Amino acid sequence: ETGVTQTPRHLVMGMTNKKSLKCEQHLGHNAMYWYKQSAKKPLELMFVYSLEERVENNSVPSRFSPECPNSSHLFLHLHTLQPEDSALYLCASSQDLRGGVMDNEQFFGPGTRLTVL
Amino acid sequence: GQSLEQPSEVTAVEGAIVQINCTYQTSGFYGLSWYQQHDGGAPTFLSYNALDGLEETGRFSSFLSRSDSYGYLLLQELQMKDSASYFCAVRDRGGYQKVTFGTGTKLQVIP
């Protein structure tokens, strides 16, 4: 247990569906992240939030829409996805975005395995 | 931009020592991290180097040479449970110290 939970753990959706991924961190951290992990590719940073403000939108298609209502919760809203969006979506948090190693260490959730049909 | 290179797969014998290398190119370097990820699990933080030299944490050590843009993770007294993927990640100086991950090295420990 890393203190970061994600739901659902598995999700199968059609290309016309709308769904949301949820992430919650119980660590009192100020920064939260969404990553995409595909087979044989590096972890791809999608979005970064610091104190509920988005600080990075890494050229992610608009069919992915993040939401951070407070520093403990992060959502990823999905709509009209493509089969190539099938991947493991990982949420992470860190104490802060800057500072020393203990501030920057990222704690990852278990991920949501997404399959788009 | 940033790019990292690490071997895709490494096999080593239980009880042995294995070194996983990582070379990087970055426009502004701040530090190098290592993460471990078991199949079906979440990445977990192992170590962080901001300065040249060796950092030791139990059976794991991490080394950095900033002048060579190179680092490695050293795993000693390998155990079967060390079979996992290992990612190096570079933190840069720009903006909010963005982290970029390598493609990962899949380590298989055999009896």
Side-chain angles (χ1 to χ4, degrees), chain A residues 2 9 33 35 37 40-43 45 48 55-56 58 88 90 97-99 101 104-106 108-110, chain B residues 9 30 35 37 40-45 47-48 87 91 93-104:
Chain A
T2 62
R9 295 294 307 277
Y33 313 75
Y35 288 88
Q37 187 174 36
K40 304 205 183 293
K41 285 188 174 181
L43 277 164
L45 179 66
V48 181
V55 298
E56 174 77 36
N58 208 23
L88 181 68
L90 289 160
L97 292 182
R98 291 180 168 273
V101 58
N104 288 297
E105 174 186 344
Q106 295 189 25
F108 285 83
Chain B
E9 293 181 355
Y30 193 82
Y35 285 79
Q37 185 179 26
T44 56
F45 174 82
S47 67
Y48 176 75
F87 297 87
R91 181 174 297 282
R93 287 191 170 276
Y96 64 91
Q97 298 178 1
K98 177 179 175 178
V99 174
T100 301
F101 284 82
T103 52

Side-chain angles (χ1 to χ4, degrees), chain B residues 3 17 24 51 84 95:
Chain B
S3 67
I17 299 173
Y24 59 86
L51 302 176

Side-chain angles (χ1 to χ4, degrees), chain A residues 11-19 78-81 117:
Chain A
L11 178 63
V12 179
M13 59 188 289
M15 292 167 61
T16 58
N17 292 156
K18 288 185 181 181
K19 296 287 184 183
L78 316 171
H79 64 98
T80 58
L81 294 191
L117 302 176

Side-chain angles (χ1 to χ4, degrees), chain B:
Chain B
Q2 295 166 306
S3 67
L4 298 96
E5 285 191 20
Q6 47 180 135
S8 59
E9 293 181 355
V10 172
T11 300
V13 177
E14 189 177 14
I17 299 173
V18 70
Q19 177 174 313
I20 299 174
N21 298 322
C22 174
T23 57
Y24 59 86
Q25 289 184 326
T26 178
S27 54
F29 177 83
Y30 193 82
L32 183 72
S33 303
W34 288 92
Y35 285 79
Q36 177 192 61
Q37 185 179 26
H38 287 98
D39 282 347
T44 56
F45 174 82
L46 292 176
S47 67
Y48 176 75
N49 295 69
L51 302 176
D52 286 354
L54 193 67
E55 295 278 345
E56 297 182 58
T57 308
R59 294 187 297 115
F60 293 2
S61 303
S62 57
F63 172 83
L64 175 65
S65 170
R66 296 168 66 109
S67 60
D68 296 323
S69 298
Y70 165 75
Y72 65 73
L73 180 69
L74 191 73
L75 295 83
Q76 302 182 72
E77 301 173 18
L78 280 173
Q79 302 175 7
M80 299 300 290
K81 67 178 182 179
D82 297 329
S83 293
S85 292
Y86 293 84
F87 297 87
C88 59
V90 168
R91 181 174 297 282
D92 72 20
R93 287 191 170 276
Y96 64 91
Q97 298 178 1
K98 177 179 175 178
V99 174
T100 301
F101 284 82
T103 52
T105 298
K106 190 171 180 65
L107 170 65
Q108 184 179 12
V109 180
I110 57 177

